[in-house]
Amino acid sequence: SQQGEEDPQALSIQEGENATMNCSYKTSINNLQWYRQNSGRGLVHLILIRSNEREKHSGRLRVTLDTSKKSSSLLITASRAADTASYFCATDESGYSTLTFGKGTMLLVSP
Amino acid sequence: DGGITQSPKYLFRKEGQNVTLSCEQNLNHDAMYWYRQDPGQGLRLIYYSQIVNDFQKGDIAEGYSVSREKKESFPLTVTSAQKNPTAFYLCASSIMAGFYEQYFGPGTRLTVT
């Protein structure tokens, strides 16, 4: 089952611009996580936001969570070419022991 | 140097052969997971284990088998019953099963011809 769905599927921007990706999910959650995957590599955890939090920051990353709309957004400010990667949201459906990953947003940052 | 290792990075097999993918972690994590990733499909859960000698099927377990005899090891066997085995396989672990951060290995790309 695919709980999280990212939007857009692909995003192309210039270095220095901000990148915003969205994630929607279907059921109640304990937390929502964002991961990054460079091409052909494993995923790397970026940030976790709990269901009782509305916003969280980590360096150039800003994540928001709106549980009433069942959606989250990931903002990367002042993008760099090195930010080029796929970004996935992952949610835990309350009562389950695993995370469910979305299909990801592919971000391309051009120099 | 803690982390998760997967081997090999690339694996080629003939159709009809079983193949075992290795996953080892030295993070002292209780939970381990196997995912399959196809282009444009995101990650799909194959099997997971919450503790040694215990494992549960994920969304796409058919044609796969696992074992968890040691805390640090969670090998995945892709059997000949798996109809489309060519994919990128990712192993992950977390301190416990559930909503905890997962740590991923570098992946194994399996090609079956």
Side-chain angles (χ1 to χ4, degrees), chain A residues 30-46:
Chain A
N30 293 303
N31 69 51
L32 184 143
Q33 303 179 33
W34 285 91
Y35 289 79
R36 165 194 168 125
Q37 182 183 32
N38 288 83
S39 182
R41 310 286 292 273
L43 278 70
V44 174
H45 182 265
L46 294 176

Side-chain angles (χ1 to χ4, degrees), chain A residues 36-86:
Chain A
R36 165 194 168 125
Q37 182 183 32
N38 288 83
S39 182
R41 310 286 292 273
L43 278 70
V44 174
H45 182 265
L46 294 176
I47 198 163
L48 180 154
I49 185 164
R50 301 185 197 286
S51 59
N52 62 353
E53 296 175 310
R54 291 296 167 258
E55 188 170 310
K56 204 160 181 181
H57 296 254
S58 177
R60 293 184 296 112
L61 306 180
R62 172 178 164 249
V63 168
T64 62
L65 179 64
D66 187 335
T67 53
S68 66
K69 294 182 180 176
K70 293 187 169 57
S71 68
S72 172
S73 68
L74 170 67
L75 168 68
I76 304 174
T77 60
S79 296
R80 305 165 182 167
D83 294 327
T84 293
S86 291

Side-chain angles (χ1 to χ4, degrees), chain B residues 9 17 25 32-33 39 44 47 63 68 78 89 92 96:
Chain B
K9 190 171 174 65
Q17 293 180 335
Q25 55 101 357
M32 296 187 75
Y33 313 82
R44 292 185 288 170
Y47 268 98
R68 186 85 187 278
V78 184
Y89 291 87
M96 292 172 61

Side-chain angles (χ1 to χ4, degrees), chain B residues 31-48:
Chain B
M32 296 187 75
Y33 313 82
W34 273 106
Y35 295 94
R36 171 182 172 138
Q37 187 176 31
D38 296 284
Q41 288 288 325
L43 274 68
R44 292 185 288 170
L45 182 66
I46 305 172
Y47 268 98
Y48 69 101

